[in-house]
Amino acid sequence: MKFFVDTADVAEIRELNDLGLLDGVTTNPSLILKSGGNIADVTREICDIVDGPVSAEVVATDFEGMMREATSLAKIAENVCIKVPLTFDGLKACSAIRGDLDRQTNVTLCFSANQALLAAKAGASFISPFIGRLDDMGFDGMEVIAEIRQIYDNYDFDTEILAASIRSADHVKRCALIGADVATVPPATLKALVKHPLTDKGLEAFLADWAKTGQKIV
Ligand code: G3P
Protein backbone atom coordinates (compact mmCIF):
# COMPACT_ATOMS: atom_id res chain seq x y z
CA MET A 1 0.00 0.00 0.00
CA LYS A 2 1.30 3.47 -0.85
CA PHE A 3 1.36 6.19 1.81
CA PHE A 4 0.41 9.75 0.88
CA VAL A 5 0.36 12.44 3.53
CA ASP A 6 -2.79 14.56 3.76
CA THR A 7 -1.51 18.05 4.49
CA ALA A 8 -0.19 21.27 2.93
CA ASP A 9 2.23 21.81 5.82
CA VAL A 10 5.59 21.88 4.05
CA ALA A 11 7.63 21.31 7.22
CA GLU A 12 5.64 18.17 8.07
CA ILE A 13 5.99 16.93 4.49
CA ARG A 14 9.75 17.50 4.49
CA GLU A 15 10.15 15.64 7.81
CA LEU A 16 8.13 12.61 6.68
CA ASN A 17 9.77 12.54 3.25
CA ASP A 18 13.19 12.46 4.91
CA LEU A 19 12.03 9.28 6.72
CA GLY A 20 11.46 7.70 3.30
CA LEU A 21 7.77 7.21 4.09
CA LEU A 22 6.07 9.27 1.39
CA ASP A 23 4.75 8.10 -1.98
CA GLY A 24 2.74 11.30 -2.53
CA VAL A 25 0.78 14.17 -1.00
CA THR A 26 -2.87 15.22 -1.06
CA THR A 27 -4.09 18.74 -0.42
CA ASN A 28 -7.52 20.34 -0.65
CA PRO A 29 -8.88 23.91 -0.30
CA SER A 30 -9.26 23.54 3.50
CA LEU A 31 -5.65 22.31 3.87
CA ILE A 32 -4.39 25.19 1.70
CA LEU A 33 -6.28 27.66 3.94
CA LYS A 34 -4.72 25.98 7.00
CA SER A 35 -1.23 26.32 5.46
CA GLY A 36 -1.63 30.10 5.20
CA GLY A 37 0.09 30.03 1.82
CA ASN A 38 -0.78 30.65 -1.81
CA ILE A 39 -1.90 27.43 -3.59
CA ALA A 40 0.61 27.79 -6.42
CA ASP A 41 3.54 28.55 -4.09
CA VAL A 42 2.66 25.80 -1.60
CA THR A 43 2.05 23.21 -4.32
CA ARG A 44 5.33 24.10 -6.04
CA GLU A 45 7.23 23.80 -2.75
CA ILE A 46 5.65 20.40 -2.06
CA CYS A 47 6.43 19.17 -5.59
CA ASP A 48 10.07 20.15 -5.05
CA ILE A 49 10.19 17.88 -1.98
CA VAL A 50 8.14 14.83 -3.02
CA ASP A 51 8.64 12.97 -6.31
CA GLY A 52 5.27 11.20 -6.23
CA PRO A 53 1.82 12.58 -7.15
CA VAL A 54 0.86 15.84 -5.38
CA SER A 55 -2.89 16.40 -5.52
CA ALA A 56 -4.01 20.02 -6.02
CA GLU A 57 -7.76 20.63 -6.14
CA VAL A 58 -9.71 22.81 -8.56
CA VAL A 59 -12.38 25.01 -6.99
CA ALA A 60 -14.48 25.81 -10.06
CA THR A 61 -17.73 23.84 -10.20
CA ASP A 62 -18.30 24.09 -13.97
CA PHE A 63 -16.41 22.05 -16.56
CA GLU A 64 -14.88 25.02 -18.38
CA GLY A 65 -13.70 26.60 -15.14
CA MET A 66 -12.26 23.30 -13.96
CA MET A 67 -10.28 22.92 -17.18
CA ARG A 68 -8.91 26.46 -16.91
CA GLU A 69 -7.81 25.83 -13.33
CA ALA A 70 -6.45 22.36 -14.13
CA THR A 71 -4.34 23.84 -16.92
CA SER A 72 -2.94 26.41 -14.51
CA LEU A 73 -2.26 23.86 -11.74
CA ALA A 74 -0.61 21.45 -14.20
CA LYS A 75 1.94 24.14 -15.13
CA ILE A 76 3.24 24.21 -11.54
CA ALA A 77 5.09 20.90 -11.77
CA GLU A 78 5.12 17.59 -13.66
CA ASN A 79 3.95 15.64 -10.60
CA VAL A 80 0.86 17.74 -9.91
CA CYS A 81 -2.20 15.47 -9.87
CA ILE A 82 -5.44 17.33 -10.53
CA LYS A 83 -8.16 16.82 -7.91
CA VAL A 84 -11.77 17.25 -9.03
CA PRO A 85 -15.02 16.77 -7.09
CA LEU A 86 -17.33 13.84 -7.75
CA THR A 87 -19.91 15.72 -9.79
CA PHE A 88 -20.84 15.30 -13.45
CA ASP A 89 -18.73 18.35 -14.33
CA GLY A 90 -15.92 16.86 -12.27
CA LEU A 91 -16.19 13.51 -14.06
CA LYS A 92 -16.25 15.23 -17.45
CA ALA A 93 -13.18 17.22 -16.45
CA CYS A 94 -11.51 14.02 -15.20
CA SER A 95 -11.71 12.49 -18.67
CA ALA A 96 -10.59 15.70 -20.38
CA ILE A 97 -7.67 16.28 -18.02
CA ARG A 98 -6.32 12.80 -18.74
CA GLY A 99 -6.92 13.19 -22.47
CA ASP A 100 -6.03 16.84 -23.14
CA LEU A 101 -3.53 17.55 -20.35
CA ASP A 102 -2.16 14.02 -19.99
CA ARG A 103 -2.21 14.45 -16.23
CA GLN A 104 -3.20 12.15 -13.40
CA THR A 105 -6.56 12.84 -11.76
CA ASN A 106 -7.85 12.33 -8.23
CA VAL A 107 -11.66 12.31 -7.96
CA THR A 108 -12.49 13.44 -4.44
CA LEU A 109 -15.46 13.73 -2.08
CA CYS A 110 -16.50 10.15 -2.84
CA PHE A 111 -18.99 8.62 -0.38
CA SER A 112 -20.43 5.61 -2.20
CA ALA A 113 -19.41 2.64 -4.33
CA ASN A 114 -21.65 3.85 -7.15
CA GLN A 115 -19.82 7.19 -7.19
CA ALA A 116 -16.52 5.29 -7.34
CA LEU A 117 -17.86 3.20 -10.24
CA LEU A 118 -18.59 6.38 -12.20
CA ALA A 119 -15.11 7.74 -11.44
CA ALA A 120 -13.47 4.56 -12.73
CA LYS A 121 -15.51 4.75 -15.92
CA ALA A 122 -14.39 8.37 -16.30
CA GLY A 123 -10.80 7.13 -16.21
CA ALA A 124 -9.82 8.56 -12.83
CA SER A 125 -6.24 7.79 -11.78
CA PHE A 126 -7.31 7.83 -8.11
CA ILE A 127 -10.65 7.75 -6.27
CA SER A 128 -10.80 9.31 -2.79
CA PRO A 129 -13.53 7.79 -0.60
CA PHE A 130 -13.80 9.74 2.68
CA ILE A 131 -13.87 7.14 5.48
CA GLY A 132 -13.95 9.44 8.52
CA ARG A 133 -16.76 11.62 7.25
CA LEU A 134 -18.90 8.54 6.53
CA ASP A 135 -18.22 7.23 10.04
CA ASP A 136 -19.13 10.66 11.47
CA MET A 137 -22.59 10.27 9.87
CA GLY A 138 -23.08 6.79 11.31
CA PHE A 139 -22.24 4.97 8.09
CA ASP A 140 -19.42 2.41 7.76
CA GLY A 141 -16.62 4.05 5.80
CA MET A 142 -14.58 0.87 5.68
CA GLU A 143 -17.51 -1.00 4.13
CA VAL A 144 -17.47 1.48 1.23
CA ILE A 145 -13.74 0.84 0.74
CA ALA A 146 -14.42 -2.93 0.64
CA GLU A 147 -17.30 -2.49 -1.85
CA ILE A 148 -15.15 -0.34 -4.14
CA ARG A 149 -12.30 -2.85 -3.97
CA GLN A 150 -14.65 -5.67 -5.01
CA ILE A 151 -16.21 -3.67 -7.85
CA TYR A 152 -12.83 -2.48 -9.19
CA ASP A 153 -11.48 -6.04 -9.07
CA ASN A 154 -14.63 -7.40 -10.79
CA TYR A 155 -13.96 -5.21 -13.83
CA ASP A 156 -10.18 -4.84 -13.56
CA PHE A 157 -10.42 -1.04 -13.40
CA ASP A 158 -7.05 0.79 -13.35
CA THR A 159 -8.30 3.47 -10.95
CA GLU A 160 -6.43 3.29 -7.64
CA ILE A 161 -8.39 3.43 -4.37
CA LEU A 162 -6.92 6.35 -2.39
CA ALA A 163 -8.47 5.95 1.06
CA ALA A 164 -8.99 9.43 2.54
CA SER A 165 -10.44 11.13 5.60
CA ILE A 166 -8.40 8.67 7.68
CA ARG A 167 -8.66 9.34 11.41
CA SER A 168 -6.75 6.48 13.07
CA ALA A 169 -4.07 3.81 12.81
CA ASP A 170 -6.92 1.29 12.77
CA HIS A 171 -8.28 2.89 9.60
CA VAL A 172 -4.84 2.44 8.00
CA LYS A 173 -4.64 -1.24 9.01
CA ARG A 174 -8.15 -2.00 7.80
CA CYS A 175 -7.50 -0.24 4.49
CA ALA A 176 -4.40 -2.41 4.02
CA LEU A 177 -6.34 -5.59 4.92
CA ILE A 178 -9.03 -4.70 2.35
CA GLY A 179 -6.41 -3.83 -0.27
CA ALA A 180 -6.75 -0.08 -0.80
CA ASP A 181 -3.96 1.00 -3.15
CA VAL A 182 -3.14 4.18 -1.23
CA ALA A 183 -3.91 5.67 2.16
CA THR A 184 -3.61 9.43 2.52
CA VAL A 185 -2.93 9.98 6.18
CA PRO A 186 -2.69 13.10 8.39
CA PRO A 187 0.92 13.62 9.59
CA ALA A 188 0.21 12.80 13.25
CA THR A 189 -1.59 9.56 12.34
CA LEU A 190 1.21 8.54 9.99
CA LYS A 191 3.81 9.09 12.72
CA ALA A 192 1.68 7.18 15.24
CA LEU A 193 1.89 4.01 13.10
CA VAL A 194 5.42 3.35 14.35
CA LYS A 195 4.48 3.54 18.06
CA HIS A 196 3.83 0.56 20.34
CA PRO A 197 4.40 0.54 24.13
CA LEU A 198 5.93 -2.95 24.01
CA THR A 199 8.49 -1.76 21.47
CA ASP A 200 9.49 1.11 23.75
CA LYS A 201 9.57 -1.19 26.80
CA GLY A 202 11.53 -3.88 25.00
CA LEU A 203 14.13 -1.43 23.67
CA GLU A 204 14.58 0.07 27.13
CA ALA A 205 15.19 -3.41 28.56
CA PHE A 206 17.67 -4.34 25.79
CA LEU A 207 19.66 -1.16 26.38
CA ALA A 208 19.67 -1.65 30.14
CA ASP A 209 21.00 -5.21 29.76
CA TRP A 210 23.52 -4.12 27.13
CA ALA A 211 24.87 -1.48 29.50
CA LYS A 212 25.54 -4.28 32.01
CA THR A 213 27.77 -6.13 29.52
CA GLY A 214 30.22 -3.27 29.55
CA GLN A 215 30.77 -3.91 25.85
CA LYS A 216 30.82 -1.58 22.84
CA ILE A 217 30.08 -2.61 19.25
CA VAL A 218 32.30 0.14 17.82
O1 G3P B 1 -8.13 14.51 1.43
C1 G3P B 1 -9.39 14.51 2.07
C2 G3P B 1 -9.20 14.72 3.53
O2 G3P B 1 -8.39 15.86 3.74
C3 G3P B 1 -10.49 14.90 4.27
O3 G3P B 1 -10.23 14.58 5.62
O4 G3P B 1 -10.59 14.67 8.06
O5 G3P B 1 -11.33 16.59 6.58
O6 G3P B 1 -12.56 14.39 6.53
P1 G3P B 1 -11.21 15.10 6.75
Side-chain angles (χ1 to χ4, degrees):
M1 184 168 80
K2 288 178 273 190
F3 281 133
F4 289 9
V5 67
D6 194 37
T7 185
D9 182 322
V10 172
E12 289 273 23
I13 292 167
R14 189 173 282 111
E15 179 189 359
L16 288 165
N17 192 62
D18 288 349
L19 293 174
L21 275 177
L22 294 189
D23 299 299
V25 179
T26 54
T27 71
N28 63 41
S30 303
L31 293 172
I32 294 296
L33 171 66
K34 191 175 177 185
S35 77
N38 167 277
I39 184 171
D41 298 338
V42 170
T43 304
R44 185 174 298 107
E45 206 171 349
I46 295 170
C47 290
D48 287 343
I49 297 167
V50 178
D51 295 332
V54 175
S55 289
E57 188 163 342
V58 299
V59 291
T61 54
D62 63 300
F63 171 73
E64 291 75 16
M66 287 178 184
M67 291 310 292
R68 284 194 297 273
E69 292 177 354
T71 302
S72 177
L73 291 172
K75 287 175 183 168
I76 295 170
E78 284 301 311
N79 55 326
V80 168
C81 171
I82 308 298
K83 218 178 193 185
V84 295
L86 215 153
T87 61
F88 277 124
D89 280 82
L91 294 173
K92 187 177 173 186
C94 174
S95 302
I97 289 163
R98 286 201 69 163
D100 301 347
L101 302 183
D102 190 26
R103 277 307 172 93
Q104 287 189 308
T105 55
N106 179 356
V107 178
T108 190
L109 289 168
C110 172
F111 296 96
S112 76
N114 280 333
Q115 286 181 316
L117 178 55
L118 292 177
K121 292 200 44 82
S125 309
F126 301 101
I127 183 68
S128 289
F130 280 28
I131 299 167
R133 295 192 191 186
L134 281 161
D135 289 357
D136 294 346
M137 297 291 287
F139 297 102
D140 183 349
M142 294 310 307
E143 178 60 30
V144 174
I145 300 291
E147 290 172 343
I148 297 169
R149 179 72 284 158
Q150 183 176 342
I151 290 168
Y152 280 17
D153 292 349
N154 288 348
Y155 299 96
D156 200 21
F157 284 127
D158 293 330
T159 302
E160 293 187 66
I161 301 172
L162 197 169
S165 189
I166 284 181
R167 304 280 173 78
S168 67
D170 185 57
H171 274 166
V172 175
K173 179 187 74 175
R174 292 172 69 193
C175 284
L177 287 169
I178 288 169
D181 301 283
V182 187
T184 191
V185 190
T189 307
L190 194 50
K191 291 175 189 173
L193 296 180
V194 75
K195 297 301 286 179
H196 194 292
L198 288 180
T199 303
D200 297 339
K201 187 167 181 248
L203 183 58
E204 190 180 336
F206 282 162
L207 297 179
D209 287 347
W210 178 253
K212 291 172 189 167
T213 69
Q215 298 177 41
K216 289 190 180 305
I217 294 174
V218 291

